Amino acid sequence: DSGVTQTPKHLITATGQRVTLRCSPRSGDLSVYWYQQSLDQGLQFLIQYYNGEERAKGNILERFSAQQFPDLHSELNLSSLELGDSALYFCASSVAGQDIGYGYTFGSGTRLTVV
Amino acid sequence: GQQLNQSPQSMFIQEGEDVSMNCTSSSIFNTWLWYKQDPGEGPVLLIALYKAGELTSNGRLTAQFGTTRKDSFLNISASIPSDVGIYFCAGLSAGNNRKLIWGLGTSLAVNP
């Protein structure tokens, strides 16, 4: 158990729908990062939040949004889902706000299947 | 987005063999990280490298930070079945706008 909790573990939904993925960071970590992993694209950074504020943005589609709440848990909202959104979505957390690389702890991921 | 060139893409080896993989970039990095992802799990940090030329070991794993700061290598000695998984390199770019750039991974299969 890495200490980063992601729910749900699996999600199957239809095209056009909206889903919310949840992440609770490791105790003491202030930063949350969201990554998308598909077979042919490796790990793609989506967005980072630090202590409730958006800190960095990667290749996140306009149909996707995220937020970090006062208790530091984060949610990734995916809307108007397309077949190509099927992927593993990982959350990672770290103590620091700047993307320093070390101290990244990943959750076990949410596998999203869009049918 | 920007990615590192990680090779090989996949390897299938016999138990007991040594394994080598590498990552290269056209950009300079200040930090190189090597992660392993077991099936159905998130990546786990194996080794972190912070200085050009640095050689660091973690059990049977050894990684090196290339002297040009544009590459890194990971070696696994005497592979065992539990080494199976995907190995990712990641580099932390230099400058004020530091970003973690990921390789596409090396998938390792070990035949017992």
Side-chain angles (χ1 to χ4, degrees):
Chain A
D1 181 7
S2 68
V4 178
T5 304
Q6 286 188 251
T7 57
K9 199 158 177 64
H10 302 277
L11 199 49
I12 300 175
T13 190
T15 54
Q17 295 298 305
R18 172 190 169 95
V19 297
T20 297
L21 312 184
R22 183 188 167 104
C23 169
S24 293
R26 202 177 51 163
S27 177
D29 286 356
L30 300 177
S31 265
V32 168
Y33 309 80
W34 285 98
Y35 279 85
Q36 180 191 56
Q37 185 180 34
S38 49
L39 274 174
D40 57 348
Q41 291 292 318
L43 280 162
Q44 294 289 328
F45 168 65
L46 297 178
I47 197 164
Q48 177 200 357
Y49 277 81
Y50 174 71
N51 206 19
E53 305 263 335
E54 182 183 303
R55 178 60 67 97
K57 223 168 184 174
N59 301 321
I60 187 166
L61 299 173
E62 284 190 15
R63 300 183 286 110
F64 296 0
S65 65
Q67 53 185 327
Q68 186 179 29
F69 295 87
D71 67 352
L72 300 177
H73 91 269
S74 179
E75 293 181 354
L76 178 67
N77 301 297
L78 315 175
S79 61
S80 303
L81 284 167
E82 302 174 359
L83 295 177
D85 297 327
S86 296
L88 267 169
Y89 290 84
F90 285 105
C91 165
S93 72
S94 72
V95 172
Q98 201 168 11
D99 192 351
I100 56 174
Y102 48 89
Y104 249 46
T105 303
F106 281 85
S108 297
T110 293
R111 180 172 291 282
L112 174 66
T113 303
V114 183
V115 297
Chain B
Q2 185 181 356
Q3 283 176 328
L4 300 173
N5 297 314
Q6 185 171 351
S7 65
Q9 190 174 12
S10 62
M11 303 180 75
F12 187 86
I13 60 169
Q14 294 295 122
E15 183 176 358
E17 288 184 3
D18 296 343
V19 172
S20 289
M21 58 190 80
N22 68 82
C23 270
T24 60
S25 170
S26 57
S27 305
I28 288 173
F29 290 104
N30 285 337
T31 299
W32 283 95
L33 306 170
W34 285 93
Y35 282 82
K36 183 194 176 196
Q37 183 178 22
D38 288 328
E41 298 295 328
V44 173
L45 183 65
L46 297 173
I47 292 177
L49 302 159
Y50 303 113
K51 200 164 72 170
E54 181 180 352
L55 188 72
T56 297
S57 293
N58 178 4
R60 293 175 297 104
L61 277 62
T62 302
Q64 184 162 26
F65 193 140
T67 52
T68 65
R69 296 170 63 194
K70 294 182 178 180
D71 56 10
S72 181
F73 308 87
L74 176 69
N75 296 313
I76 306 173
S77 62
S79 59
I80 59 178
S82 63
D83 290 333
V84 164
I86 304 176
Y87 292 80
F88 289 99
C89 64
L92 188 64
S93 59
N96 292 329
N97 190 21
R98 297 193 293 177
K99 289 191 178 300
L100 196 61
I101 313 298
W102 292 82
L104 290 179
T106 293
S107 178
L108 178 64
V110 179
N111 191 27

